[in-house]
Each structure stands twice: as C-alpha cells, then as structure tokens.
C-alpha cells in the first residue's frame, strides 16, 4: 500500500474517533483503516475514556484486547451507539462495497445494530459507481460449486478467494467468492439477486447503511460526506 493511502486512512480515522463519547457502546471495524481508529480509541481509553465495544473480526478483537478496550459479548448488546469501519468502495449515495478483508458478514451484523455508522476511507475509495472492486460474497462451503454457478449466472466471474494454496476461510468458517461485475448501476437490485441465491450467507453490498463517510486525503485533509436525504 502506498504511503499516501496510509496517510489518508490514518487522518480519516483520527477525525472519526472525535465522535466517540464517554459511556458509548462501540462497534470496531476491520482492516487497515479501522486499525487506526482502534488504535486511537485505545489511546483514549488509556487517557480515561469509558466505553464498551464489540469487534467485527477475530483480528480486531485481539487488537482491542491488546489496547485494553473493554469488550462485551453480543448477549449484552441491543444497539451500538457508533461503529467505525472501513470500506473498499463508496459511491455518491454512500452505498458501499465491503469485505476486502473478509469480515463482511460480522461487519454487516454489527452495522445493522448501529445507530450511527461511520465509514472511514482514504479518498481513493470514493467512486461514481461501485464495481471496480470485485464484490465479496460469503458462501457456505456445502455445495459451493452450485453456489458459484448460480453467481456466474448473474453475469460475473466468481473467483474463489485463496489464502496461499488453500481456500480462504472467514471467521465464520465460510468461503468467499470475489465477483467481478464491472460497473454496477443499481447496487440495491443486484444485492437482492445475490442474496436470493441459496448458499449465499451475505454479500459485500452495504446499501443505505452508512450515516457519514469520513474521507482522508494524502495531504492530511478530511472531508465529511453525509448520507443524501
Ligand atoms: C473488511 C472490510 C474493510 O473495511 C475493507 O476491506 C477496507 O479495508 P482497508 O481499510 O484495509 O482498506 O470490509 O472486511
């Protein structure tokens, strides 16, 4: 990853954690941008902030533990005040593609329980139309070949995600197909078609979920984009 993108990610994360207040229940995202937000929250906890959190992946959970951010089980959660997470692409309506880091299912469960969902990106992730980034689709391993064929019938090329010479496994022990659709003009309609396939657990479309997007530039500026009304 180039240094400019890293700077944009760090700066966006730094702005987003300004929304965190004492007493909040937080959702912690996954990926190299969310990493900076978790680091920042860890620093705030060190300075005396009192929060409780849930994580969207095993990786983010370990990081939160290392930083002494108090974690609670989902049995104690009804609604989260804020979740801060990254994204792979963000369109003009703040629809997202997520799941590049493989945590899409847990991320969507957490996002759906969140009152104020903040997405942090370096500005290169802002696009007019989604689709350059292949859509991650999490599928159950059982009969994955059939699920792959059904996905291909939607006019995409579904590539099994690999980790070295083994199939990549999500934290939920499922597979991921990265589906190259090309430019997607109606993400909501495509999301419905993908979700309708039996065997699909979740896709990486996050439609109408983000409340704000904080985009960071390499020069160190942040832009806050609100969900269109
Ligand atoms: C993980 C995700 C990430 O938020 C997304 O892939 C962006 O990652 P990064 O911040 O490393 O660019 O959805 O499943």
């Amino acid at each position: 990853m180039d240094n400019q993108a890293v700077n944009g990610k760090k700066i966006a994360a730094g702005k987003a954690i300004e929304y965190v207040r004492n007493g909040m229940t937080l959702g912690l995202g996954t990926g190299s941008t969310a990493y900076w937000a978790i680091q920042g929250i860890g620093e705030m906890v060190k300075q005396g902030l009192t929060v409780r959190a849930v994580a969207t992946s095993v990786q983010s959970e370990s990081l939160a533990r290392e930083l002494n951010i108090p974690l609670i089980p989902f049995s104690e959660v009804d609604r989260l005040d804020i979740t801060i997470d990254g994204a792979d692409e963000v369109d003009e309506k703040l629809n997202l593609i997520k799941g590049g880091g493989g945590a899409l299912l847990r991320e969507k469960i957490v996002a759906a329980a969140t009152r104020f969902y903040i997405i942090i990106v370096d500005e290169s992730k802002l696009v007019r139309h989604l689709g350059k980034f292949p859509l991650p689709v999490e599928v159950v391993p059982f009969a994955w070949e059939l699920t792959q064929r059904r996905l291909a019938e939607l006019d995409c090329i579904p590539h099994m995600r690999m980790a070295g010479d083994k199939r990549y496994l999500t934290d939920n022990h499922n597979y991921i197909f990265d589906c190259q659709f090309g430019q997607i003009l109606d993400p909501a309609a495509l999301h419905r078609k993908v979700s309708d396939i039996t065997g699909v657990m979740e896709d990486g479309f996050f439609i109408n979920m983000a409340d704000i997007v904080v985009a960071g530039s390499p020069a160190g500026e942040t832009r806050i984009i609100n969900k269109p009304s």
Side-chain angles (χ1 to χ4, degrees):
M1 194 194 316
D2 65 73
N3 280 341
Q4 299 207 324
V6 174
N7 207 26
K9 288 173 186 216
K10 203 170 163 182
I11 219 83
K15 186 72 188 165
I17 61 173
E18 290 178 12
Y19 288 83
V20 175
R21 299 276 179 275
N22 248 336
M24 282 186 166
T25 306
L26 306 175
L28 306 175
T30 295
S32 58
T33 319
Y35 166 88
W36 292 111
I38 300 171
Q39 286 286 350
I41 293 165
E43 190 51 40
M44 290 163 85
V45 167
K46 205 166 150 194
Q47 304 298 326
L49 175 85
T50 311
V51 287
R52 318 179 308 156
V54 295
T56 51
S57 62
V58 171
Q59 191 188 26
S60 295
E61 191 175 322
S62 317
L63 179 61
R65 260 187 232 296
E66 275 171 37
L67 297 168
N68 297 315
I69 300 172
L71 292 166
I72 51 168
F74 279 91
S75 56
E76 287 180 27
V77 175
D78 182 38
R79 288 278 186 273
L80 299 157
D81 294 301
I82 282 179
T83 293
I84 303 176
D85 203 350
D88 299 298
E89 276 186 347
V90 179
D91 77 6
E92 289 170 341
K93 293 183 177 155
L94 303 199
N95 295 317
L96 318 171
I97 285 183
K98 284 184 52 53
L104 62 153
L105 174 55
R106 293 188 184 195
E107 288 173 333
K108 204 179 277 187
I109 292 171
V110 169
T114 296
R115 291 198 183 93
F116 195 67
Y117 187 41
I118 305 176
I119 290 297
I120 49 177
V121 290
D122 75 82
E123 64 182 18
S124 70
K125 307 275 188 76
L126 303 176
V127 298
R128 182 131 189 259
H129 296 293
L130 302 177
K132 194 166 173 209
F133 193 92
L135 179 75
V137 180
E138 181 161 345
V139 308
V140 293
F142 180 79
W144 61 266
E145 298 91 337
L146 281 183
T147 312
Q148 184 177 30
R149 267 177 236 139
R150 296 295 90 85
L151 282 167
E153 284 165 9
L154 296 180
D155 274 342
C156 72
I157 307 165
H159 290 287
M160 172 70 75
R161 191 177 294 187
M162 304 297 286
D165 57 358
K166 295 209 166 64
R167 290 183 199 115
Y168 174 87
L169 271 185
T170 69
D171 287 348
N172 321 299
H173 310 287
N174 292 317
Y175 296 153
I176 288 186
F177 285 113
D178 291 301
C179 300
Q180 191 69 71
F181 283 98
Q183 197 177 78
I184 298 165
L185 296 178
D186 189 347
L190 186 55
H191 166 59
R192 283 191 294 274
K193 286 185 191 165
V194 173
S195 312
D196 272 354
I197 297 173
T198 308
V200 167
M201 290 301 299
E202 195 49 82
D203 68 28
F205 283 128
F206 284 51
I207 308 290
N208 204 22
M209 294 185 96
D211 291 295
I212 62 165
V213 170
V214 183
S217 78
E221 285 142 13
T222 51
R223 183 148 65 103
I224 297 180
I225 310 164
N226 293 295
K227 179 151 79 174
S229 42

